[in-house]
Amino acid sequence: MKKVTLLILIAIIQLSFTACNSDLTEELKGDLSKSTLVGEKDAFALVDGCYATFMMDGGYGFFTYKGYMRLFEAPTDGGLIKDSGIDKFKWGENIGLDLWETAYTIVQRTNTAIQLIGDMEDGAFEDPTVKNRLIGEAKFLRAFAYSLLTSAFGDVPLITSTEPEALPARTPLAEVVAQIMLDLTDAVSVLPETHPTEIGRATKGAANTLLAKMYMREADWSKAKSAIDAVIGGPFDLYQGPYRDLWLESSRKDNEFIFSIMSQGEDYSNGSSHHIKAFSPWGYDLGWSDFGVPKEIFYAMDANDARKDVIVNDLSGAYYGYVAAHGTAVAWLGYVILQKFSGNNRDVTAPNSAWGNYGS
């Protein structure tokens, strides 16, 4: 009798495990494939993941901290790197590496999105135009990544497949540029003029603007003008208020901004972008001030130039006495402070906490 009871108990346990294994089997959305991406929300999630690349590395990535400024702005006559001019700055592989890693992550993700969304049935979308629109957004982002890569490095590996070679060779610049133009032309044909409730997504104007920049880079002036005219004829216009107010957070959705990388943060630790720290010097503001406006440009500006609303040389308002004692930013830093993105120029984020503004 005991033996029969034991066998029945073992059978019940085995059935229980079988039932649990069956009931708890889940479909893993992290396994990107045609079978797991079946609805419109899945397609949006794919493209949203492409945009998320802009916020890589916890707000300290290429777009969210010093990378873009260091590589494209500071070496020009209009920018300046702390404690060194372009003739003294020591270039290291890490400067280009930030862009390389970020851009090719965008390329990898957009290639996946373009293929998988393209393979989805049209009936999976509530609005039949959304499928092509999302593919258009991914193509714009891929073109954007390659526009930066070619600006910095010239010939770069052109990857449009989800299964690239392990060590792809560099592609001649002309071929990469041709792909950028193709992606942007495709994007223009399917993207909407605006995204009223989803600021930060690619639009027809964003694609035309990048097209214009690429045509100007190629010295194709007639096509550049056509793309620019298309932007001028769109929903964008120049901000009419004080220049300083354009950079307030309450203005971040103003239609002067054709394409923006959106970010947010409630406190220092959780800020998705630490971009402002690169401009705001500690002691005058909350930051590290690695970049500024060359004094030569500041001195050459007209006294009534509206841009001076966000360019600071007078340190009398500094909250640390030793900083105010310098009198001017030029005397203290050797350049003037650009305060467009400064913690002193905030109006809505974490209104009761300066630290909240620090990480936003």
Side-chain angles (χ1 to χ4, degrees):
M1 185 66 180
K2 290 182 180 180
K3 185 175 181 180
V4 172
T5 302
L6 180 60
L7 290 172
I8 293 174
L9 181 60
I10 292 172
I12 292 174
I13 292 173
Q14 289 177 331
L15 286 172
S16 297
F17 276 124
T18 302
C20 288
N21 286 337
S22 175
D23 293 342
L24 295 180
T25 299
E26 61 179 330
E27 183 180 10
L28 299 176
K29 290 296 184 181
D31 180 18
L32 301 178
S33 66
K34 185 175 181 179
S35 63
T36 58
L37 297 165
V38 295
E40 188 171 302
K41 288 183 178 180
D42 298 328
F44 269 100
L46 263 179
V47 178
D48 289 348
C50 300
Y51 286 104
T53 313
F54 291 137
M55 296 299 164
M56 282 176 63
D57 302 322
Y60 287 97
F62 178 76
F63 292 105
T64 53
Y65 186 38
K66 299 181 182 180
Y68 187 91
M69 282 296 301
R70 181 183 284 151
L71 195 58
F72 290 115
E73 298 292 340
T76 70
D77 292 337
L80 189 141
I81 303 173
K82 185 177 181 180
D83 298 329
S84 61
I86 184 62
D87 57 326
K88 300 177 183 177
F89 189 68
K90 295 180 180 179
W91 291 88
E93 65 178 17
N94 61 309
I95 295 174
L97 185 61
D98 286 345
L99 167 61
W100 191 272
E101 291 181 339
T102 302
Y104 274 110
T105 300
I106 294 174
V107 169
Q108 178 191 37
R109 292 184 182 185
T110 53
N111 285 344
T112 299
I114 291 166
Q115 177 178 315
L116 292 181
I117 295 174
D119 287 343
M120 293 176 67
E121 298 292 337
D122 293 349
F125 296 84
E126 295 180 12
D127 181 344
T129 66
V130 169
K131 176 180 178 179
N132 288 333
R133 188 199 105 188
L134 290 175
I135 293 174
E137 289 185 45
K139 286 186 175 182
F140 167 81
L141 294 174
R142 182 169 68 182
F144 179 53
Y146 272 117
S147 72
L148 296 177
L149 284 167
T150 52
S151 292
F153 305 111
D155 298 350
V156 293
L158 176 60
I159 303 171
T160 58
S161 168
T162 55
E163 298 180 0
E165 302 174 38
L167 293 173
R170 297 173 71 184
T171 305
L173 177 61
E175 293 182 30
V176 184
V177 170
Q179 183 63 50
I180 294 172
M181 300 298 198
L182 177 61
D183 279 348
L184 291 174
T185 302
D186 288 348
V188 166
S189 69
V190 295
L191 290 177
E193 293 283 353
T194 62
H195 290 289
T197 61
E198 296 180 284
I199 303 299
R201 304 191 84 94
T203 62
K204 198 179 295 291
N208 269 317
T209 299
L210 188 52
L211 257 179
K213 289 184 176 181
M214 292 302 301
Y215 283 132
M216 285 191 286
R217 204 173 82 177
E218 297 298 302
D220 192 335
W221 309 117
S222 61
K223 290 184 179 179
K225 184 180 183 303
S226 296
I228 291 170
D229 288 342
V231 176
I232 293 174
F236 307 101
D237 60 27
L238 296 177
Y239 184 72
Q240 299 302 311
Y243 183 77
R244 182 189 185 103
D245 291 353
L246 176 61
W247 311 101
L248 295 173
E249 284 158 283
S250 58
S251 300
R252 71 196 318 186
K253 297 180 182 179
D254 188 85
N255 65 347
E256 176 166 321
F257 298 113
I258 296 175
F259 180 69
S260 301
I261 296 175
M262 307 300 286
S263 60
Q264 60 185 359
E266 292 301 323
D267 57 49
Y268 174 76
S269 299
N270 296 319
S272 58
S273 174
H274 295 284
H275 188 70
I276 65 171
K277 295 177 188 175
F279 297 91
S280 305
W282 186 264
Y284 175 82
D285 198 356
L286 301 170
W288 302 327
S289 188
D290 294 298
F291 303 106
V293 178
K295 59 185 178 182
E296 294 81 7
I297 290 181
F298 176 71
Y299 292 144
M301 293 173 69
D302 185 272
N304 297 318
D305 194 315
R307 292 172 295 178
K308 282 193 170 182
D309 286 347
V310 292
I311 297 176
V312 177
N313 192 36
D314 178 15
L315 296 178
S316 60
Y319 61 85
Y320 278 178
Y322 82 91
V323 173
H326 286 282
T328 66
V330 171
W332 179 35
L333 300 168
Y335 54 86
V336 288
I337 300 166
L338 181 63
Q339 186 161 265
K340 286 193 300 187
F341 309 107
S342 163
N344 288 336
N345 197 37
R346 302 268 72 83
D347 68 338
V348 296
T349 296
N352 298 319
S353 168
W355 292 105
N357 296 335
Y358 190 24
S360 62

